[in-house]
Every structure is written in C-alpha cells, then in structure tokens.
Amino acid sequence: MTSAATLEPPPGFVPLDRAHALSLLHEMVLARRFEEKCAQLYGAGKIRGFLHLYVGEEAIAAGVMPLLDAEDAVVSTYREHGHALARGIPAGALMAELFGKVQGCSHGRGGSMHVFDVSRRFYGGNAIVAGGIPLAVGLALADRMQGRARVTACLFGDGAVAEGAFHESMNLAALWKLPVLFLCENNQYAMGTSLERSESQPNLALKARSYAMEVERVDGMDVLAVQAAARRGLDYVRAGRGPWFIELVTYRFRAHSAYDPELYRTKDEVATWKARDPIALFTALARERGLLGDDDVASLERGADDEISAAIALAEAGTLEPVEELTRGVYAEEAAR
Amino acid sequence: MNGAPAVKVTYREAVRAAMREAMQRDARVFLMGEDVGRYGGTYACSLGLLDEFGPERVRDTPLSEGAFVGVGIGAAIGGMRPIVEIMTVNFSLLALDQILNNAATLRHMSGGQVGVPLVLRMATGAGRQVAAQHSHSLENYYAHIPGLKVLAPATVEDARGMLWTALLDPDPVILFEHATLYGTEGELAEDAGAVPIDRAAVRRAGRDVTVVGYGGTVAKALEAARMLAERGIDAEVIDLRTLRPLDDETLVASVRKTRRAVLVDEGWKTGSLAGEICARLVERAFYDLDAPIARVCTEEVPIPYPKHLEDAALPQPGRIVEAVLATVGGRG
Ligand SMILES: Cc1ncc(C[n+]2csc(CCOP(=O)(O)OP(=O)(O)O)c2C)c(N)n1
Ligand SMILES: [Mg+2]
C-alpha cells in the first residue's frame, strides 16, 4: 500500500506536460463551477429534491475518468455530477436532468441522484447506498462471459463499506477475478457519521485486502496521485488478473445535501481540509513547474463558465414531459404496446 | 378531551417528545439507527436526544440496515425495548429479511417461546421530488405479514401517542411516518400521552360517502371533503391509523351509513392496501353498497423526479373529488 501524501508523481508516472495539466484542471474546474451554480439554482428553486455536491472531491473524477475507454463502464452514486461530467456527459444534458426536463440525460425522470447515459456506458446514479456495487460486478461478469476486454469502474463512498452488498460483492468479484476497478471515495463521513464512529477497522483498503484483492490507498486531493493509482489498477484489471480496489482519501467541503445543518463536524476541520483544495493544490504545482500561467487559469475558468451558462440556457429552454406520458418508461416500449 | 391546555407542535416535535418520554419512563428503551445521534436524525426527530440520554441509549449505527434491524430484534428478545429507526421505507427492504423471517416469525415458529417487542420507525411516501429510490409507500408490504402490527400516525396526537402503546406491545410494531408530515403543525394537549392502536378514527363525520385514507393521504381526503362540501356532498373521512390489523368494524359501520366508499392509498393500485379494504367491504357490506367502491392510488410508475409528474402520479384532493363525484353520480 502506498500513501502518496506528496504532489510528486510516483515512480513510473507519465511526466506532466502542459496539455495534460490543462485537461486535468479543466475537468476539476468545470465540475466545481457547475456545482457552485447548482447550489445557487437550488436556492432559486430550479433544482429540487436532494442535491449532493461533489465539491472538494473533484480530483478523483478528473484523475480516473480520462483513463477509461469508451467501452468501459461506470457505476456511480447519488453524488455523481463530477463523475458524469468527467465521463463526458454534456453539461447541458446534465443540467437539463437537474431541471427535470426531457432533454436531460435520464429524460428528466431521475434528477440529481439518477444520472444515466448508456451511450457513454454510465450506469447511474444510484441512491441506495452500496446498491450499485453488485451491478458493477454483474456488468464485469457480462464482459467476461462475452469475451470483451473491458473494465467496469465502480464508485461508492466510505459509508457503503458497512453494507452487506459491499462485502458480498467484494467476495464475488475477487473469487471470480472479474474486471472491476473499485473506487472508494472516502470523504470520511456518511452523512453525519464519521468513519471512526462507523467502522471497527477504518482502513478501508485493508478491509478489501481481506478479500484477497489488490488494494491501494491514495491521497484523493492529489489528482496526479489519483491518476497514477488508477493507471496501476487499470493495468492490472485489463491484464485479466482480477479486480483492484483503490481507497481515495478525500473530503466533502459542503453539507451532505441541502438539508444538512452540519452539526457533526467543526468549522476548523472543514477549514483544514479546504486548505488542501485539490484545484488549488494542482494549480500551484502546475504553475510552479511553469506549465500554466495566470492567463491559462483565467481562460480556463471563463471557458467553464461559458459551458455552464450554455448548459443552463439549454435546461431553461428545455421542455417538460407531457403528463399524459406519466406511465411511460416502466417497461420496454414495444412490450407495453 | 381533558382539561389541559392545547399547544401547537409540529409532527416532528411530537415524535421527539414521544421518544424522550419513552426513554425517561423505561430504562430498557433505546434508540438506534443511522444518524439518529450526532446528526439529530435525518428528519431532525431525535435532535437533542443524544445530549440528553448519551451514546449508550442514542446509538448511531453504520449503514447496515440488515444488521441493525436484526440487532434490534435480538436486543428485544434479550429484554431491551429498542426503537429502531430506518431512514426511509425504500431502505427498509435491505432489512426485509430480518423483519419478515425473524421479527414476524420467531414467536410462531418457536411455538410461542420467543417474542420480539421491537418498535421500528421509518419515513415513507412521496411529495418532495426525491425520485424513485426515496419516495415509495410500501406500507402494504408489511401489512401483508402476520406477526407484525403496522401503524400510520397521521396527526400530531398519534405521532405523540402511538409510540408508547407500541412499546408496551409484546410483538413487533412498525410505525410509518409520512415524510411530508414532519413539518406540519397541530394542536396537542400539554399532557397528551399514549393512545390506543387498534381502532380507526372518523376524522370528519358525513352522510354521503366514506373516504378512507391513512398517513399522508388523510389531509388530502379532508381537503377533498371540504371541496365536496362546497358542492353539497357530505363526506365522512376515516383515518385508518392501524394498517394491520385493520379495524373492519369502523369501516363497515361507516359504509353501512353512507353506502359508498372511496379508498385513498399512496401505494400503487395493484396489490394495494386499498385493494384489501375493498375486498373486505365487498365481503362484509356488499348489500349495503349503492355504488361500486372506487380507489384513488398512486399510478403504476416509480415516482418520477419532476414535480408535475410526481404530482400527477400521486393521489390528490382533485382526484379524490372526481372519484367521489363518479361514485355519488348514480344517486337519484
Ligand atoms: C441503503 C441506504 N441507507 C441509507 C441511505 C441514506 N443515505 C444517503 S447518503 C448516506 C451517506 C452515505 O455516505 P457515503 O457512502 O460515505 O457517501 P457520501 O455521501 O459521503 O459521498 C446515507 C446514510 C441510503 N441512501 N441508502
Ligand atoms: Mg462518505
């Protein structure tokens, strides 16, 4: 197990160049600003229901997603906006989903917690904690049985590790040596319950290890460390050797959802973690290495804002599904006729 | 009812007062569930209880519904009186095995030796745009099971009073709290306490039609009754309160009087509790009926996210009024 606490890329990592730095920063900035806008739109009543923001955790999606091929699959949680954007789901289709419009990637039916885009092999958007993990193992089983050399990336939180579905799935995946990359986003809280108060063994990678799985534990605030770890995991899984588990230690900067008064953590603790903002850390590193300048960062932010403005415009202009279609999409359309 | 002055309380406060009183009265009572302690409860029902009773009696659990519900069953067998909270009925499915195969069944299959005095509380229902994995009304899944008692407090009085009665029960009792009710306010006598859990309640007396609801649909039925009154139709509104066992007497007596029934249920129509009640009325009051019984249930679709579709999927006062009008339409 490595604990990559520094911003130096680990041995063997592809050296960072300007184009790479720009693209990593773009992914993180887009997700951050998209969600900051979401918070405002929630306040304005445009987005409703539960809204779980990924702010603070962007390095994980930005580090992992670009390494996946179009043929690979992703299974995610209700905190999935960042995953979806980095997987290439257009910001407009995502925003339209949050607005409940037909132009949304789930036809407006799912909302924030149920983002799907099968054309990008993005299989949700699951709001039952740990509910997606067996699905990911099953997708990988289908690939194995049909002789396809693909990987399924399965994202879930630290809270999911307490559920039976997690343990049963770890065992099956390891037993059958299925091509799954498990990505545990350990932001150290499940709603208001901290890891130490919910796990007898808070080292989650060690738990996965007990299923005879290859594991790694990395600094989830360091996009380069995340990417290096994901690369190692993917190499292993793609070689057909079985699943791989990465615990990504991170922190959610915002409340669990819009309803959370945050009684369970101190402002100091939040401030300490905000000082390790993945975007600020990476920007500083890239500038120090002379890969990015002031202008680059500013223009990248402008680009993201333009993309988000266009997304909001699309969502605003989008249409609500006619009420007559209420019971559509419950069965395959042909079968329903 | 009695002389004590009434105070305005929210449903949430009533639930909290009930839990506080139970823990004060009986040292065997403890609360266990996800985020009931530090967080104060997903719906803030247990806010302050951790400070008052400490972490031994207000226990935050890991995300492990199957385990902590089963542990609650074990603790109940072992002499404790657990109140186990599940955040939302959709998540209770992860514990359905424990609830059905253990809690509901142990007494019978042990030949009466093992009782499970467990109280389970959970939120249920739609109306908050939280989509298809957080919005369902699965009360009838549990009302199907012999060995369980199933309650649906719809008023602050029942939210305050049902818990203690449930805790005194020697068998497992499930309380369903409709999530849209927590913020609602009602009048409650300052000294309000335990209430019976074996009878339905007539929330509005009327002559022309019986409208039956429970939990989140009671307020909608009452609203429909108000709209109907404007049209000269006098609806009787029954709040089931207890979903298992059903209070057939109150239902049959009402229908004998009004000769018409409209059953409102936030569950899906197919296989609904409304279907069960319909069957019972047909079995016991068929010749008293002047019109076919009507049902206003949730449309056969997982609850969609957008507001206009969610509203259309659920029973609404307007749909209840329409059903009543169709039912009384045949009246001479
Ligand atoms: C089975 C189940 N139980 C409870 C919940 C309610 N709930 C939603 S998110 C959450 C916390 C999950 O924490 P974690 O897995 O660490 O993910 P994070 O929210 O931190 O990203 C809980 C308890 C749920 N959605 N599903
Ligand atoms: Mg977490």
Side-chain angles (χ1 to χ4, degrees):
Chain A
M1 249 175 285
T2 62
S3 179
T6 72
L7 285 171
E8 287 304 313
F13 183 68
V14 186
L16 187 64
D17 62 21
R18 181 176 153 76
H20 190 186
L22 275 170
S23 79
L24 287 175
L25 193 58
H26 169 75
E27 291 301 349
M28 291 196 284
V29 167
L30 179 67
R32 174 71 56 93
R33 293 175 97 89
F34 182 93
E35 289 203 314
E36 281 170 347
K37 230 10 199 217
C38 288
Q40 287 173 20
L41 291 163
Y42 192 88
K46 297 278 183 188
I47 300 173
R48 305 292 301 271
F50 288 147
L51 180 72
H52 305 88
L53 301 180
Y54 194 55
V55 174
E57 308 183 30
E58 297 92 344
I60 299 170
V64 173
M65 293 298 164
L67 301 183
L68 299 178
D69 296 336
E71 293 295 289
D72 294 334
V74 178
V75 174
S76 177
T77 68
Y78 49 85
R79 198 181 296 289
E80 83 281 45
H81 308 154
H83 307 154
L85 289 169
R87 180 60 177 165
I89 296 180
L94 181 58
M95 192 61 89
E97 187 58 37
L98 304 187
F99 276 52
K101 301 290 181 73
V102 175
Q103 288 73 15
C105 52
S106 305
H107 211 68
R109 292 282 179 139
S112 167
M113 298 191 285
H114 307 299
V115 169
F116 286 79
D117 184 348
V118 170
S119 73
R120 291 179 176 81
R121 303 207 73 226
F122 193 88
Y123 289 96
N126 203 307
I128 301 299
V129 170
I133 303 176
L135 301 186
V137 176
L139 284 162
L141 175 65
D143 287 335
R144 161 69 49 80
M145 293 182 76
Q146 291 171 90
R148 294 183 298 235
R150 294 170 171 179
V151 175
T152 298
C154 177
L155 296 122
F156 50 90
D158 48 292
V161 171
E163 291 283 9
F166 168 84
H167 293 275
E168 297 172 27
S169 301
M170 289 295 114
N171 184 46
L172 262 187
L175 184 69
W176 291 347
K177 296 205 179 326
L178 295 174
V180 188
L181 181 65
F182 292 106
L183 299 156
C184 177
E185 298 183 308
N186 176 6
N187 62 13
Q188 305 168 63
Y189 286 89
M191 273 182 67
T193 302
S194 65
L195 200 61
E196 310 81 69
R197 287 187 298 111
S198 66
E199 289 292 338
S200 59
Q201 170 51 272
N203 183 330
L204 305 180
L206 203 56
K207 276 189 196 291
R209 181 72 205 137
S210 73
Y211 289 99
M213 197 174 308
E214 297 303 322
V215 302
E216 230 185 288
R217 189 169 203 231
V218 299
D219 178 1
M221 296 309 212
D222 176 350
V223 68
L224 296 179
V226 169
Q227 194 150 65
R231 214 180 283 271
R232 287 189 288 276
L234 283 167
D235 285 349
Y236 182 91
V237 178
R238 288 196 201 290
R241 300 171 67 188
W244 183 284
F245 180 101
I246 308 175
E247 176 186 350
L248 304 120
V249 181
T250 181
Y251 200 80
R252 117 175 107 62
F253 289 174
R254 295 204 170 223
H256 169 74
S257 74
Y259 293 102
D260 170 12
E262 292 188 78
L263 303 173
Y264 48 83
R265 61 185 192 180
T266 63
K267 291 209 161 64
D268 275 358
E269 182 187 300
V270 179
T272 308
W273 278 95
K274 279 188 174 168
R276 300 208 62 241
D277 184 324
I279 296 179
L281 286 184
F282 182 70
T283 307
L285 174 105
R287 293 174 59 142
E288 200 181 293
R289 293 197 190 167
L291 297 172
L292 299 177
D294 283 345
D295 292 352
D296 294 317
V297 175
S299 83
L300 205 135
E301 288 176 347
R302 262 197 317 278
D305 288 347
D306 290 346
E307 195 172 338
I308 294 160
S309 298
I312 295 170
L314 189 141
E316 288 277 11
T319 41
L320 292 174
E321 198 172 359
V323 171
E324 297 67 50
E325 307 202 339
L326 175 61
T327 57
R328 276 188 67 178
V330 181
Y331 298 99
E333 295 280 318
E334 311 84 76
R337 287 210 189 95
Chain B
M1 267 194 319
N2 50 38
V7 286
K8 255 199 179 344
V9 296
T10 61
Y11 187 96
R12 168 184 296 118
E13 287 161 352
V15 171
R16 189 184 306 145
M19 292 196 289
R20 176 182 292 123
E21 187 203 21
M23 285 198 277
Q24 284 166 347
R25 276 170 83 159
D26 187 339
R28 299 171 304 170
V29 174
F30 69 101
L31 172 66
M32 170 163 73
E34 289 159 10
D35 284 308
V36 296
R38 292 259 180 134
Y39 194 89
T42 317
Y43 299 99
C45 288
S46 47
L47 203 64
L49 297 186
L50 174 64
D51 289 341
E52 193 173 340
F53 296 100
E56 273 289 303
R57 295 184 72 198
V58 179
R59 292 184 167 264
D60 279 322
T61 62
L63 272 119
S64 44
E65 289 80 3
F68 72 75
V69 170
V71 167
I73 295 168
I77 295 168
M80 299 301 287
R81 289 293 178 273
I83 303 171
V84 177
E85 176 181 303
I86 299 177
M87 285 187 176
T88 293
V89 65
N90 278 77
F91 315 153
S92 77
L93 300 181
L94 280 72
L96 185 55
D97 164 53
Q98 286 296 327
I99 299 171
L100 169 56
N101 289 323
N102 280 337
T105 309
L106 279 165
R107 182 180 297 282
H108 179 78
M109 68 187 181
S110 67
Q113 298 178 81
V114 181
V116 182
L118 169 79
V119 172
L120 265 178
R121 294 178 39 245
M122 62 186 90
T124 185
R128 299 170 307 135
Q129 284 195 259
V130 290
Q133 289 181 333
H134 279 73
S135 298
H136 293 136
S137 280
L138 306 176
E139 291 87 326
N140 69 322
Y141 281 36
Y142 295 99
H144 182 58
I145 301 173
L148 301 180
K149 292 183 182 169
V150 181
L151 313 180
T155 63
V156 291
E157 193 188 10
D158 279 348
R160 176 72 180 81
M162 280 182 163
L163 184 76
W164 182 250
T165 318
L167 281 164
L168 294 180
D169 201 285
D171 290 309
V173 180
I174 306 183
L175 282 126
F176 284 102
E177 299 161 2
H178 198 283
T180 59
L181 290 177
Y182 288 116
T184 59
E185 277 194 335
E187 298 262 323
L188 191 63
E190 251 172 0
D191 63 350
V195 297
I197 58 170
D198 54 355
R199 303 297 296 198
V202 177
R203 297 289 180 209
R204 181 190 194 280
R207 288 180 323 253
D208 297 332
V209 59
T210 298
V211 181
V212 181
Y214 67 88
T217 58
V218 173
K220 290 178 176 181
L222 286 167
E223 170 63 11
R226 201 190 52 71
M227 292 158 72
L228 287 161
E230 286 170 7
R231 309 173 76 134
I233 295 168
D234 187 20
E236 176 144 305
V237 176
I238 292 186
D239 170 3
L240 288 175
R241 299 183 66 248
T242 300
L243 312 183
R244 183 185 185 100
L246 283 166
D247 174 9
D248 293 342
E249 309 314 319
T250 301
L251 291 165
V252 168
S254 176
V255 168
R256 290 225 161 102
K257 179 175 70 170
T258 63
R259 311 183 79 84
R260 292 174 168 80
V262 172
L263 314 176
V264 189
D265 187 348
E266 209 181 292
W268 292 295
K269 193 172 203 170
T270 303
S272 62
L273 205 58
E276 173 63 25
I277 295 168
C278 182
R280 285 170 185 237
L281 290 174
V282 167
E283 284 166 351
R284 301 201 36 190
F286 183 77
Y287 295 107
D288 296 300
L289 289 167
D290 281 351
I293 296 171
R295 287 186 286 163
V296 180
C297 301
T298 290
E299 299 292 337
E300 309 275 337
V301 59
I303 302 297
Y305 163 67
K307 178 162 171 47
H308 68 298
L309 295 182
E310 180 178 42
D311 284 348
L314 300 174
Q316 302 294 355
R319 277 177 61 201
I320 301 170
V321 167
E322 280 168 33
V324 168
L325 291 177
T327 303
V328 300
R331 215 168 39 156

